[in-house]
Amino acid sequence: MNPNLTNPRADEVDAILKRIPFAQTLGMRCDVLGDEMTAILPFQEKLIGNVTIRALHGGAIASFLELTAMLQVFLVSDMPRPPKPMNITIDYLRQGHAKDLYARAYVMKMGRRMASVRAEAWQENRADPVSAIVAHFMVAHD
Amino acid sequence: MNDNRNDPDRIAAVMREHVGLMNSAVPWGNEVGFEVTKIEPGHVWGRQPWAENLVGDPDTGVIHGGVITTFLDNLSGMACTAAMTKLRFVATIDLRIDYMRPAEKGLDIIGEAECYRVTKSVCFTRAWAYHGTREKLIATSAGTFAINKPRFGSQSPQGKTEV
């Protein structure tokens, strides 16, 4: 493997994900390439919010995006532990269909005390996001 | 149409009658395990019990924020339905959650949502998650919801919408 493509934090992201019971309940996983991470939420019946139209629950999508944002902050920082969220704003843009969901997060600002992060989730087409969040995390080392 | 000026009361009564159905028809709601405990016009309360599989921080046993988001989103949407004069369901447009303090391990979280304004197509909500009383806030939220048009089958032949 090309060592330049390998982020030593990548294995830690995987370990954190496995240790968080709620991430396991969701059933998400992450692919990390360097400082780029794609989160994957494989479809499961339990993620449905509306059985009539078979749409994913907004809360499940928001949970997935919040975890993705948190892990991205961890990935690009030198924090010993994942950061704690301060707030999150979710835009529900399109219906989440009964299929796999993907997400990527961007750290817009890494401050000394706070990080501002944006994350988007999509299905077929990355240009047509299902939902987007803006979240703030505490990144102070104390 | 001057029938049923107290319609939010009637809608709230219909919702109370079918609360079991409304809970069980939401798989992700079942997975996180919250229940709706009280429905008044424009105002809905619920309870989210602590559970191991909801933990977001394995070192402290604190429930993940996503659980609270799910809980407040759902309660807020129901508060919208309970605030309207006709039975209408809503879809979340956006929701902002502020985390005040971590939820304590092992304790129930109480949720309370209020729909304080209904327009022709949009509802505005605020909601609270706390332990015991609102003095001990875990999170607050502000949301906007789009009112869904009635689905086929709910129109009478005259084009008048029925509940």
Side-chain angles (χ1 to χ4, degrees), chain A residues 48-56 95-98, chain B residues 91 148 151-152:
Chain A
I48 293 280
N50 184 324
V51 288
T52 317
I53 57 170
R54 292 191 53 75
L56 295 178
Q95 186 182 316
H97 299 285
Chain B
N148 288 342
R151 291 183 173 274
F152 56 88

Side-chain angles (χ1 to χ4, degrees), chain B residues 7-19 39 41:
Chain B
D7 266 341
D9 285 324
R10 188 170 56 100
I11 299 291
V14 170
M15 290 174 76
R16 279 193 288 271
E17 202 177 312
H18 297 287
V19 71
I39 302 170

Side-chain angles (χ1 to χ4, degrees), chain A residues 19 25 57 66 81 88 90, chain B residues 53 59 74 95 97 99:
Chain A
R19 274 193 74 219
T25 301
H57 195 289
E66 185 181 322
R81 291 161 41 80
I88 157 174
I90 316 134
Chain B
N53 69 330
D59 297 328
N74 227 296
L95 189 73
I97 310 266
Y99 297 114

Side-chain angles (χ1 to χ4, degrees), chain A residues 19-23 25-26 45-53 57-60 62-63 66-67 70 81 84-93, chain B residues 24-29 31-32 34 52-60 64-67 69-70 73-74 92-100 151:
Chain A
R19 274 193 74 219
I20 298 175
F22 186 62
T25 301
L26 269 172
E45 265 324 300
K46 68 179 177 186
L47 302 174
I48 293 280
N50 184 324
V51 288
T52 317
I53 57 170
H57 195 289
S63 302
E66 185 181 322
L67 280 159
M70 179 193 81
R81 291 161 41 80
K84 300 266 186 290
M86 233 167 65
N87 60 39
I88 157 174
T89 304
I90 316 134
D91 270 341
Y92 292 102
L93 304 165
Chain B
S24 63
V26 183
W28 182 245
E31 183 70 19
V32 296
F34 64 79
E52 186 71 51
N53 69 330
L54 305 178
V55 167
D57 184 344
D59 297 328
T60 58
H64 191 263
V67 176
T69 305
T70 301
D73 188 350
N74 227 296
T92 319
I93 300 170
D94 83 333
L95 189 73
R96 177 197 168 105
I97 310 266
D98 286 300
Y99 297 114
M100 304 285 140
R151 291 183 173 274

Side-chain angles (χ1 to χ4, degrees), chain A residues 113-124:
Chain A
R113 292 188 301 169
M114 279 167 271
S116 180
V117 195
R118 187 177 164 77
E120 288 176 5
W122 74 94
Q123 292 185 310
E124 274 102 275

Side-chain angles (χ1 to χ4, degrees), chain A residues 34-112:
Chain A
D35 64 348
E36 266 192 3
M37 182 185 85
T38 306
I40 300 135
L41 183 66
F43 173 71
Q44 295 180 78
E45 265 324 300
K46 68 179 177 186
L47 302 174
I48 293 280
N50 184 324
V51 288
T52 317
I53 57 170
R54 292 191 53 75
L56 295 178
H57 195 289
I61 298 170
S63 302
F64 173 57
L65 281 169
E66 185 181 322
L67 280 159
T68 304
M70 179 193 81
L71 290 166
Q72 184 70 37
V73 173
F74 178 83
L75 181 68
V76 300
S77 73
D78 56 359
M79 299 178 72
R81 291 161 41 80
K84 300 266 186 290
M86 233 167 65
N87 60 39
I88 157 174
T89 304
I90 316 134
D91 270 341
Y92 292 102
L93 304 165
R94 293 176 179 82
Q95 186 182 316
H97 299 285
K99 51 179 80 167
D100 295 359
L101 190 67
Y102 313 105
R104 275 201 180 175
Y106 317 85
V107 179
M108 293 192 290
K109 173 168 179 192
M110 179 67 83
R112 271 180 302 172

